[in-house]
Amino acid sequence: MATTADPQLRQRRKEHLPQRTPSDETVTSVYGGNDVPHARDEVVWGKTPSGEVFRVPTTHDVLTLFHPGYPKSHIDLFNLALLGLQLVLFFTLSRTASRIFFLFYFAFWRAAYDLGLGWVLTKQSKRKWIVREVQRLGWLDEKRRPEVRQWIKKQLAGKMGKDYSFDELPLEYNTWLLFRQLVDIILLNDFLAYCMFAFSCFRVPEGLSTGVHVMRWIGGIALIAFNLWVKTEAHNVVKDYGWYWGDVFFKRGALVFDGVFELAPHPMYSVGYAGYYGLSLIIGSYAVLFVSLAAHAAQFGFLVFFENPHIERTYGQRKPLAQRSPLLSRASRKLEGASETHARTSSVSSVASADAPTPAATEGETATESEELYTETETEQENDRSPSRRTKRHSGLGLSNVSSREESSKGASKRIQVISQHDLFHRYFRKDTVFLHNVDLLRASDFQLVLLMTYALVLAFAPSLSRSSALMLHFGHALAWCLFHTVGLGLLLRAQSQSKFMVRHYLKHYHYPQNDRGQGAVQEAFQNWKVIYNLSMGMTYVSSICLAWKTYSVPQHWTVGNELLRHTLGVIMIGLHVWSTLESYEVLGLFGWFFGDFFIEDFPSHLEYTGIYRYLNNPEVISGAAFFGLALISGSKLVFALAVVRLLSQWWFLSKVENPHMRKLYGDSIRSDAGFVKVIKKVAQKNARLLESHAGRHAPEIKRVAREVKGTFDKVYEETAEVVEEFLAKSRPRISEVVQDTKVLLQQSRERLVISRVANDLSSYDTNKYKISIVPGADGSYRFHLGEPIRVRWRAPLHHSRKDWIGIYRVGANQSNLVTKTSSLGMWVPVHDDEWDGDIPLSLHKPKTEDPNSPDVEEGEVVFKSGALPWRTGKYEVRYHHDGKYNVMSLDGPFEVIVDKPSQLDFTSVRKSLTHIVPLCLDMDPSLIPQSCKNDATSNAPEPGAAAETEDGRDPDDFRFWSERQAKRISLAIEQAFGVEIAPEVIVADANLSALANRILVSKELLSD
């Protein structure tokens, strides 16, 4: 990282100093402090987390360890002894033993660097753990450990200049200097151990020419030299403060990407390890190369898991999601430019002008923060169309929340439309698929993508197959498409008929304009269904034809046997299939062909018994004749089996999917018998009368037998139907119970702990002195709204563990009141979190007792808020745990978590509920919650689409997020309050109370039966 000093923390002693480069900020010379030129004499100030400002003394780099002019501390001598020991072992051990020893020795120091330092620095960055441990151990406390303090003072003072005063500098700075000694030991031994391992693996590769060997050495030396240059330049930029992670202990400035940091990202961790590969090239060993790659990968792990999070934590500025910053369209800018004469006036756009001068330094900013974003010409009205369809037209790009102002130019009044970057982004991007990220198999394009990739992978990795194996593969392929087309898509259609599954899916996961009224979701669901259905139908036919072709062999003698007859009947059956399909399509049209009545309710549809439907209710059965025709032509049992499966699956589709939906739509208007069935019944009745007339005296007996047989069949059918209906009626509650129990088990499986850590020192604690109690809410009850902070009072013995904690659990999740055996799922708070102000330790002393009658008892209060709260409605309890373990010292409850549900479903009621839900889900952060929620006039809710605007043109119902986690809370709260599922991405796209209220109402109206 690169840093620069804060102007408020820096002052120069002489105003006439010559101009210098950034590398002159601090002095890191190998010469003594008295030899420092006066031209470089400047004061650098630092500030501790507690706010103490101090003068940062001069420090010296690690090379002073090898300079004989500097005194050596005990730590330095220990470090030099370790380095010397490596050299001795390298020259005394055999090459094989040296290779093995230094491999593991280097792995140890590399782990100490990337894992050890990464772990302690992360804890220091988050909780100031190193400083806290030094405080706890009293190493720098003159009263508690004077000998240790004096020894540390001697070790540090000997390595510093005359401007260093151990007693006057804060604890954080001296702790950093002590930490530097540990870092020097690790870094130097890590470097030398790697070199010793590499040298022990040295060899001259065979089979290479002299020129290759020369180029190998030249390339290796160049990489090593480049490595040294990068490290030197990086140190000149960051100095010892950045080299030893000083910003983890105290602050001295802000990030500046300068010098070598403009060469490559994180040069000390990326190109700064080029020497590894240069030495590998010189050594000529694959073992050294692979060890170098592993060590470099470990260093990148250090960067990813510590360095980057620390930089973001220390210097990063949180940017809220759904920030609506107004932008002007390109046409609006031209209108403004045309109305200006000599000087530019200020624009309403929040985007900086492109003519602004480039800043001299970039202080951690990204280029996107200053780029201009243009749109095409806007129109005032929104053109309804499918969101998934692309168009080249530039009109019809309106938004629900667009403000405008008028300016006169040459007597003409023209409207300038303002749009936010957030709304513009969500207009053009809606969970777009990037490789396999955001894949949605109900989206036709994604389904085709996954299908194409699957076929490509199968073709690439499929082994060579025998003929029989290839035939089985083709059969499985055709069978899979047949079952997917009838059963798979049938289940999808049945879910759409019963619960509008596909429309619900698109309403939940995709954002649509506010005044869309849900039609965009219906259109997109139907459009994608049509593509998937047509693809599936085509693949069903193609896979079946491919199977028949693989099993077909041209007859040698057409007139021998039944070859000609089979081919003739097969062609006839295929022709019958084609004819019935064309006739069905002519009657159904596109609407019926793609099952439009499953999706579109407003489309005028009625039953028409014309064409082929005049004779058959379900001509789709005839369409299966082609599969039997292929079976006849090929003469294959596999094709015949496929035809039988196709017929049975088609019958299932008609009886379980299409017919129930038809009865649901048209009821009793559906005819029972088609023309063909009626004729067959009439012929059967006529033949029955003829048979009766010719039977003579046996006619009554034949009638009786026929009635008995018919009655037997009817009775069996009725009894079977009654048994099935009774079974379903009785099993429905049981199935519901099983489903509910399964949900509970799944929930408990998330909560269940593998091992419950239990303390062994409970005998020294009096459990009667532990007590927790829930503070009632504002209304005096133990009912809290979803997201409302929950306060818990606790009391414990004065000597209780400082690692005690309190957790929230569902009632019934734990059977024991002595030991908690389920996870809190993040719903816990430490008892003594109030002793830390964020990352700043306030005191390590135990607080004073508040109860004068119980001098050995300590009391306090904790608050559950934000992520520590339960975000599911229900009944919960709180448990006090001992010493970071799961021993329960006290519990209280139950209390109930509820959600605000409106009394009636209208815009005003839903919006009013949202004004209570949304701020709580946003942690009541004033910078996030809507402006309308800050006012008391929430009862005067605006009508849909008529929300007032603030002075800057923004909708007062707009809100923002710090993270997607808050959007997930709102999504979960809406589901529990209104029974509507809305994905967090859609909530982020809306980010408006009125828009969410309209979306909820549209979803309830559209998805209601």
Side-chain angles (χ1 to χ4, degrees):
M1 76 186 81
T3 58
T4 184
D6 193 327
Q8 297 179 356
L9 302 180
R10 179 183 296 278
Q11 65 180 15
R12 299 187 183 275
R13 292 183 177 180
K14 297 182 179 181
E15 297 181 357
H16 59 277
L17 294 177
Q19 186 175 0
R20 294 182 300 275
T21 62
S23 62
D24 297 330
E25 289 182 3
T26 58
V27 182
T28 54
S29 174
V30 296
Y31 299 103
N34 296 330
D35 298 332
V36 177
H38 293 286
R40 306 179 75 184
D41 192 11
E42 62 181 24
V43 178
V44 179
W45 299 92
K47 185 169 67 175
T48 66
S50 60
E52 179 183 355
V53 178
F54 64 96
R55 181 182 180 276
V56 179
T58 303
T59 58
H60 305 289
D61 55 39
V62 68
L63 297 180
T64 58
L65 177 67
F66 307 102
H67 196 283
Y70 279 87
K72 301 297 182 286
S73 65
H74 295 165
I75 300 177
D76 292 339
L77 295 176
F78 175 72
N79 194 3
L80 290 173
L82 288 176
L83 298 176
L85 179 63
Q86 291 195 49
L87 296 175
V88 172
L89 290 175
F90 175 77
F91 288 107
T92 56
L93 295 176
S94 64
R95 290 286 76 87
T96 302
S98 177
R99 193 178 302 120
I100 297 174
F101 171 78
F102 282 108
L103 172 62
F104 289 98
Y105 197 65
F106 171 64
F108 168 77
W109 287 112
R110 176 54 47 170
Y113 183 0
D114 295 325
L115 296 180
L117 291 183
W119 182 71
V120 298
L121 284 172
T122 299
K123 297 188 69 174
Q124 170 66 16
S125 175
K126 290 181 177 180
R127 304 291 295 181
K128 305 303 176 189
W129 180 78
I130 300 177
V131 176
R132 184 182 180 185
E133 285 299 302
V134 171
Q135 281 183 309
R136 184 181 65 83
L137 298 173
W139 286 356
L140 301 182
D141 192 333
E142 188 174 7
K143 297 181 179 179
R144 296 172 57 193
R145 307 287 294 274
E147 299 85 359
V148 175
R149 181 181 183 276
Q150 188 64 27
W151 181 82
I152 293 176
K153 177 180 179 180
K154 184 178 180 181
Q155 306 304 308
L156 299 182
K159 296 179 66 65
M160 302 294 290
K162 294 182 178 180
D163 58 349
Y164 174 74
S165 176
F166 180 86
D167 298 323
E168 295 179 359
L169 288 168
L171 171 68
E172 288 81 2
Y173 186 81
N174 287 325
T175 303
W176 174 63
L177 292 181
L178 184 62
F179 173 74
R180 282 187 50 172
Q181 309 301 310
L182 174 64
V183 174
D184 284 341
I185 294 175
I186 294 177
L187 293 185
L188 290 175
N189 281 273
D190 172 78
F191 171 73
L192 186 58
Y194 172 79
C195 293
M196 295 298 99
F197 169 74
F199 294 155
S200 64
C201 295
F202 178 80
R203 71 184 185 92
V204 178
E206 299 178 355
L208 299 180
S209 63
T210 304
V212 174
H213 285 295
V214 172
M215 295 300 297
R216 186 166 57 87
W217 278 79
I218 293 176
I221 294 173
L223 288 175
I224 294 175
F226 177 73
N227 190 145
L228 295 176
W229 175 79
V230 169
K231 293 288 188 180
T232 304
E233 288 298 313
H235 186 273
N236 289 337
V237 174
V238 302
K239 299 301 179 185
D240 286 353
Y241 173 74
W243 190 271
Y244 293 100
W245 304 285
D247 53 357
V248 179
F249 295 84
F250 61 95
K251 293 182 180 180
R252 204 199 66 175
L255 279 179
V256 168
F257 298 102
D258 197 3
V260 73
F261 287 88
E262 296 180 336
L263 173 66
H266 305 286
M268 290 192 297
Y269 299 144
S270 55
V271 296
Y273 275 77
Y276 270 15
Y277 308 105
L279 190 57
S280 301
L281 198 60
I282 294 174
I283 297 300
S285 170
Y286 281 109
V288 177
L289 175 62
F290 292 142
V291 168
S292 301
L293 289 171
H296 200 181
Q299 194 63 31
F300 277 120
F302 178 85
L303 171 68
V304 171
F305 294 106
F306 162 68
E307 188 90 15
N308 285 342
H310 168 70
I311 292 175
E312 182 65 25
R313 191 182 304 115
T314 305
Y315 303 100
Q317 296 180 354
R318 290 201 303 174
K319 297 181 180 180
L321 302 176
Q323 173 73 26
R324 284 186 165 93
S325 301
L327 302 171
L328 284 182
S329 66
R330 184 183 302 176
S332 301
R333 293 177 182 273
K334 291 180 179 179
L335 291 178
E336 276 196 333
S339 63
E340 295 173 350
T341 55
H342 298 287
R344 281 191 172 271
T345 60
S346 60
S347 173
V348 297
S349 172
S350 63
V351 181
S353 173
D355 298 331
T358 304
T362 304
E363 296 189 355
E365 295 180 353
T366 59
T368 56
E369 294 178 1
S370 59
E371 292 178 352
E372 292 188 347
L373 187 60
Y374 299 102
T375 63
E376 298 296 334
T377 304
E378 306 281 338
T379 58
E380 296 184 22
Q381 295 183 351
E382 182 171 350
N383 182 23
D384 294 334
R385 66 183 187 277
S386 174
S388 63
R389 182 182 305 171
R390 295 194 177 187
T391 176
K392 294 184 179 180
R393 296 177 58 189
H394 300 311
S395 61
L397 300 179
L399 288 174
S400 57
N401 296 321
V402 177
S403 61
S404 61
R405 66 184 181 92
E406 296 182 356
E407 291 188 2
S408 59
S409 176
K410 297 181 181 181
S413 177
K414 298 183 179 181
R415 181 177 297 272
I416 297 178
Q417 296 198 352
V418 181
I419 187 175
S420 71
Q421 182 176 348
H422 172 77
D423 295 324
L424 187 65
F425 176 85
H426 287 283
R427 175 193 297 175
Y428 291 105
F429 301 96
R430 299 168 61 253
K431 294 187 68 174
D432 298 274
T433 304
V434 180
F435 191 57
L436 292 180
H437 180 62
N438 290 332
V439 163
D440 183 0
L441 293 180
L442 293 182
R443 192 162 49 182
S445 58
D446 292 356
F447 180 79
Q448 293 171 339
L449 172 65
V450 173
L451 189 64
L452 185 62
M453 295 174 66
T454 303
Y455 274 107
L457 291 174
V458 170
L459 290 176
F461 294 99
S464 299
L465 301 175
S466 61
R467 174 175 171 77
S468 59
S469 300
L471 288 179
M472 292 304 300
L473 178 63
H474 281 281
F475 174 74
H477 179 237
L479 181 63
W481 274 113
C482 175
L483 294 177
F484 175 78
H485 184 65
T486 53
V487 179
L489 295 186
L491 292 173
L492 186 61
L493 265 186
R494 187 167 68 172
Q496 171 64 22
S497 173
Q498 295 175 352
S499 62
K500 300 180 180 177
F501 174 79
M502 288 194 68
V503 176
R504 187 188 302 271
H505 174 82
Y506 278 89
L507 278 175
K508 175 183 178 180
H509 293 283
Y510 297 97
H511 174 260
Y512 298 97
Q514 183 176 351
N515 58 351
D516 179 74
R517 305 301 301 171
Q519 293 307 309
V522 176
Q523 294 174 13
E524 191 167 6
F526 189 43
Q527 292 291 342
N528 284 276
W529 158 260
K530 290 189 295 183
V531 175
I532 295 175
Y533 177 78
N534 188 67
L535 173 65
S536 173
M537 180 175 59
M539 291 303 299
T540 301
Y541 288 141
V542 169
S543 60
S544 301
I545 293 173
C546 291
L547 175 64
W549 175 255
K550 286 294 182 180
T551 59
Y552 178 74
S553 60
V554 180
Q556 297 294 330
H557 304 284
W558 288 87
T559 57
V560 177
N562 58 1
E563 297 292 341
L564 186 59
L565 178 61
R566 287 194 297 106
H567 283 74
T568 303
L569 292 178
V571 172
I572 292 175
M573 297 185 75
I574 294 175
L576 181 62
H577 173 102
V578 174
W579 172 79
S580 63
T581 301
L582 294 176
E583 287 294 317
S584 299
Y585 178 77
E586 184 178 353
V587 176
L588 295 175
L590 286 174
F591 182 80
W593 182 263
F594 287 109
F595 305 93
D597 50 3
F598 281 78
F599 296 86
I600 307 173
E601 297 179 351
D602 299 333
F603 197 92
S605 59
H606 56 278
L607 290 174
E608 290 185 358
Y609 294 108
T610 60
I612 194 174
Y613 285 90
R614 180 181 179 183
Y615 315 105
L616 297 173
N617 282 342
N618 298 306
E620 294 88 350
V621 178
I622 300 180
S623 65
F627 295 88
F628 288 97
L630 291 175
L632 285 174
I633 294 174
S634 63
S636 170
K637 295 180 181 179
L638 291 178
V639 181
F640 179 75
L642 178 66
V644 172
V645 173
R646 169 67 169 74
L647 179 63
L648 295 177
S649 61
Q650 186 66 31
W651 173 83
W652 177 88
F653 179 85
L654 293 174
S655 60
K656 299 298 182 181
V657 179
E658 188 169 349
N659 291 340
H661 181 75
M662 297 289 289
R663 287 193 297 269
K664 175 183 176 182
L665 291 183
Y666 304 106
D668 297 334
S669 61
I670 299 178
R671 69 182 182 184
S672 58
D673 296 329
F676 177 78
V677 177
K678 290 180 180 178
V679 172
I680 296 298
K681 283 186 175 181
K682 289 180 180 180
V683 172
Q685 292 174 358
K686 182 178 180 180
N687 291 333
R689 286 193 296 270
L690 290 175
L691 180 63
E692 182 181 352
S693 62
H694 288 83
R697 61 187 182 86
H698 298 289
E701 184 66 19
I702 294 175
K703 283 185 177 182
R704 184 183 64 80
V705 174
R707 283 196 300 268
E708 288 180 356
V709 173
K710 182 177 182 300
T712 301
F713 279 108
D714 292 341
K715 184 178 180 180
V716 170
Y717 177 79
E718 291 176 359
E719 290 180 352
T720 304
E722 289 178 358
V723 170
V724 173
E725 290 178 359
E726 183 180 0
F727 171 77
L728 293 176
K730 290 182 178 180
S731 62
R732 186 174 294 110
R734 296 181 181 178
I735 293 175
S736 300
E737 292 178 2
V738 170
V739 171
Q740 185 63 29
D741 292 343
T742 304
K743 291 181 179 179
V744 173
L745 289 175
L746 290 175
Q747 177 68 18
Q748 289 181 352
S749 67
R750 293 180 63 243
E751 300 172 349
R752 190 67 56 188
L753 288 171
V754 179
I755 299 176
S756 294
R757 295 178 297 169
V758 180
N760 299 321
D761 57 347
L762 291 181
S763 58
S764 59
Y765 295 91
D766 186 2
T767 58
N768 294 325
K769 294 183 179 180
Y770 289 88
K771 183 180 180 181
I772 57 173
S773 59
I774 304 170
V775 179
D779 57 353
S781 67
Y782 292 96
R783 302 175 79 239
F784 300 89
H785 191 277
L786 198 69
E788 182 180 353
I790 300 174
R791 312 181 75 87
V792 177
R793 293 195 181 99
W794 58 269
R795 185 179 66 186
L798 188 63
H799 63 284
H800 72 278
S801 172
R802 316 306 285 180
K803 297 180 181 179
D804 291 354
W805 60 283
I806 301 174
I808 295 180
Y809 300 87
R810 289 185 304 105
V811 173
N814 292 282
Q815 302 299 325
S816 173
N817 292 336
L818 299 178
V819 177
T820 298
K821 296 185 177 180
T822 61
S823 171
S824 63
L825 299 178
M827 297 182 294
W828 70 277
V829 293
V831 168
H832 290 290
D833 190 61
D834 57 341
E835 293 188 2
W836 287 76
D837 183 11
D839 289 341
I840 305 171
L842 300 180
S843 174
L844 291 178
H845 300 289
K846 299 179 180 180
K848 298 180 180 179
T849 59
E850 298 182 5
D851 188 359
N853 299 324
S854 302
D856 58 343
V857 172
E858 179 184 344
E859 294 182 347
E861 183 177 280
V862 296
V863 180
F864 288 86
K865 57 184 178 180
S866 188
L869 287 170
W871 290 95
R872 288 279 186 183
T873 57
K875 294 185 177 181
Y876 296 85
E877 63 183 7
V878 291
R879 292 179 166 225
Y880 186 106
H881 299 89
H882 167 68
D883 193 33
K885 307 296 193 303
Y886 291 89
N887 301 92
V888 179
M889 313 302 286
S890 178
L891 58 85
D892 191 26
F895 66 93
E896 187 176 6
V897 176
I898 61 173
V899 66
D900 185 17
K901 297 183 179 181
S903 57
Q904 56 185 359
L905 282 177
D906 55 42
F907 177 79
T908 303
S909 300
V910 172
R911 184 183 176 278
K912 185 177 180 181
S913 295
L914 290 176
T915 57
H916 193 196
I917 292 174
V918 171
L920 288 174
C921 293
L922 298 177
D923 304 323
M924 296 301 296
D925 191 332
S927 63
L928 301 180
I929 64 176
Q931 185 66 34
S932 56
C933 293
K934 301 177 184 178
N935 304 326
D936 296 331
T938 55
S939 58
N940 299 327
E943 294 298 325
E949 293 182 350
T950 57
E951 295 181 357
D952 58 357
R954 299 179 182 177
D955 194 328
D957 280 353
D958 288 344
F959 54 89
R960 303 180 296 179
F961 314 86
W962 285 126
S963 66
E964 292 185 359
R965 186 181 296 107
Q966 294 174 321
K968 292 179 181 178
R969 297 176 191 168
I970 298 177
S971 174
L972 195 59
I974 290 176
E975 180 182 355
Q976 297 176 88
F978 306 102
V980 174
E981 296 183 24
I982 302 178
E985 296 84 359
V986 177
I987 294 177
V988 172
D990 275 339
N992 182 278
L993 292 179
S994 298
L996 274 181
N998 282 322
R999 187 174 299 279
I1000 292 171
L1001 292 174
V1002 167
S1003 299
K1004 296 292 289 186
E1005 178 183 357
L1006 196 61
L1007 301 177
S1008 61
D1009 296 330

